[in-house]
Amino acid sequence: MKTCLIVDDSKVIRKVARHILETLDFTVAEAVDGRDALMQCRASLPDVILLDWNMPVMSGIEFLRALGTEPMAQRPKVVFCTTENGMAHIRTAIEAGADEYVMKPFDRETLQSKLQIVGVA
């Protein structure tokens, strides 16, 4: 079974994403910010990370850059999931190591499509 770490400071978004991912047969873990996510990744790398941009403590982009410096056998796929839709944000996310980008709000079909694009669904 594939694993996904949902990184979002919104409990509602984490709950919705968890429900969708579990229906797609993922084992799901949650993190409330980038620092929490980085600690979880150091303990056990997921197959894919669903990552919010705007969070307290450590933002999604800060987390992504920090993850890139971590020693790991295989880097997890990263799907940015955010309300930020400007081309500059998308370019910044991709340059920092994101594999895909999905806009909030999202539905099951959209998320499944993005997971298929990155090769984990």
Side-chain angles (χ1 to χ4, degrees):
M1 191 175 270
K2 298 279 187 184
T3 57
C4 180
L5 176 62
I6 302 166
V7 187
D8 201 302
D9 57 324
S10 167
K11 187 175 183 176
V12 172
I13 295 295
R14 291 194 314 270
K15 183 176 180 176
V16 169
R18 172 182 282 277
H19 174 72
I20 292 170
L21 288 159
E22 286 176 344
T23 68
L24 296 172
D25 293 326
F26 278 84
T27 298
V28 178
E30 298 179 17
V32 297
D33 59 50
R35 184 174 62 190
D36 182 18
L38 197 56
M39 291 184 340
Q40 289 191 46
C41 286
R42 287 174 178 154
S44 177
L45 277 176
D47 295 304
V48 64
I49 299 170
L50 191 60
L51 181 63
D52 184 26
W53 188 292
N54 297 307
M55 295 178 289
V57 184
M58 180 186 275
S59 72
I61 201 75
E62 291 168 333
F63 162 78
L64 192 53
R65 289 178 178 143
L67 184 68
T69 67
E70 293 289 315
M72 52 190 137
Q74 185 169 348
R75 186 182 145 319
K77 298 295 184 181
V78 177
V79 177
F80 249 111
C81 178
T82 183
T83 57
E84 303 292 347
N85 64 355
M87 284 307 297
H89 278 93
I90 295 170
R91 189 175 313 109
T92 299
I94 299 299
E95 287 171 357
D99 297 288
E100 247 320 320
Y101 205 93
V102 64
M103 295 301 303
K104 291 179 187 174
F106 54 86
D107 58 20
R108 185 182 191 278
E109 292 74 27
T110 303
L111 190 53
Q112 185 174 20
S113 170
K114 296 296 183 174
L115 293 171
Q116 286 172 339
I117 288 169
V118 300
V120 295

